[in-house]
Amino acid sequence: MTDKSIRRQEIAADTMIGAAILLITIGVLHIVQGIAAVGNDAVVTAGPEYTYEFDLTVWGWIHIVLGLLVALVGGALFRGGLWARTLTVTIAAASIVVNFLWLPHYPAWAILIIALDTAMIWAVMTAIPDSDWH
């Protein structure tokens, strides 16, 4: 292997590790949002006449379940398999959609998670696949 090829593989490995850490972080943030919504509906509010009207407890459980899935996929991404990369992009896209729908309830958190999901998808999609790095 050439020096250039070795360096590219190191960058790819670092990118994948960063994406896995981001996924676990996003999962924890989803769980915290869900607990806030389930535990105390007064913490999270919605403006009047919001198009996607669910009970906040339902939103809370959606975030808790999605957070657990996201964190588990993040753990799997540390192994670097193609299936984990595919699942990462899929679950991050679902997270972006859920947080877009969640924007009126808790805009700061939703925007933060959307930004982290976008960065994580970029990291996974730019990494060079190689079965030797994990």
Side-chain angles (χ1 to χ4, degrees), residues 96-116:
I96 288 172
V97 170
V98 166
N99 278 287
F100 176 76
L101 298 175
W102 179 250
L103 270 170
H105 296 287
Y106 219 141
W109 279 105
I111 291 170
L112 173 66
I113 293 177
I114 289 170
L116 288 173

Side-chain angles (χ1 to χ4, degrees), residues 1 5-14 128-130 133:
M1 228 183 239
S5 178
I6 291 171
R7 181 66 188 143
R8 283 173 49 193
Q9 291 306 312
E10 289 172 355
I11 291 170
D14 291 344
I128 303 163
D130 181 31
W133 78 270

Side-chain angles (χ1 to χ4, degrees), residues 30-118:
H30 269 295
I31 292 168
V32 169
Q33 278 182 335
I35 291 170
V38 170
N40 184 1
D41 286 349
V43 172
V44 181
T45 60
E49 298 181 28
Y50 180 52
T51 304
Y52 308 103
E53 290 193 33
F54 287 124
D55 180 58
L56 288 177
T57 303
V58 172
W59 273 117
W61 283 108
I62 289 170
H63 279 284
I64 290 171
V65 170
L66 185 61
L68 290 172
L69 289 173
V70 169
L72 288 173
V73 170
L77 190 59
F78 276 114
R79 303 223 3 120
L82 180 60
W83 68 270
R85 293 175 57 155
T86 304
L87 205 55
T88 295
V89 172
T90 304
I91 200 81
S95 176
I96 288 172
V97 170
V98 166
N99 278 287
F100 176 76
L101 298 175
W102 179 250
L103 270 170
H105 296 287
Y106 219 141
W109 279 105
I111 291 170
L112 173 66
I113 293 177
I114 289 170
L116 288 173
D117 281 328
T118 304

